[in-house]
Amino acid sequence: MPSSSDDASGDASDDVPFVERVLEVVDAIPPGRVMTYGDVAATLGSRAARMVGQIMAYYGGSVPWWRVVRASGHPPANHEHIALQHYRAEGTPLLGVGTAAYRVDLRAARYDGAGSHPSDR
């Protein structure tokens, strides 16, 4: 189980624990947009996508967890039904809706953490 003192980025000079930094990035994802676990890690200068997944599993209930998806665009495992409700409410672009294996359209919904998105241009 990851602790709040784990720093998966390897930067010991950082005063903010990795868990808190992950949750801050996730909390900043706008409605209707998503990031992959790897995107969140990369935003923090890390390659620890699996650690981001663990952090979301243990601590992600206080942030919009449905906005972090697998690299394929599929929602968090075992939360597909509730995530779909959030995606529909936020207008998140989806592919394969009506099937058990729907996914987020990453081309249209991916957020880069800097506010840049094709529809913003």
Side-chain angles (χ1 to χ4, degrees):
M1 180 164 132
S3 73
S4 61
S5 63
D6 287 342
D7 186 357
S9 71
D11 183 2
S13 66
D14 191 353
D15 293 334
V16 180
F18 192 67
V19 170
E20 291 177 28
R21 293 169 49 212
V22 165
L23 297 177
E24 287 172 2
V25 168
V26 173
D27 201 36
I29 302 170
R33 305 282 175 81
V34 299
M35 294 177 85
T36 67
Y37 296 101
D39 292 341
V40 173
T43 297
L44 298 172
S46 173
R47 295 178 56 206
R50 288 183 183 207
M51 178 62 78
V52 170
Q54 288 295 307
I55 289 168
M56 292 305 295
Y58 287 107
Y59 307 105
S62 64
V63 295
W65 54 265
W66 58 91
R67 295 182 191 153
V68 183
V69 299
R70 294 179 266 176
S72 62
H74 289 96
N78 302 315
H79 298 288
E80 294 87 349
H81 181 71
I82 189 74
L84 182 58
Q85 294 174 14
H86 288 291
Y87 298 143
R88 286 180 170 159
E90 294 182 357
T92 306
L94 301 171
L95 300 170
V97 177
T99 68
Y102 78 90
R103 60 191 171 104
V104 173
D105 182 351
L106 287 176
R107 254 190 249 168
R110 190 175 228 156
Y111 179 67
D112 71 3
S116 176
H117 186 269
S119 67
D120 295 338
R121 295 181 191 131

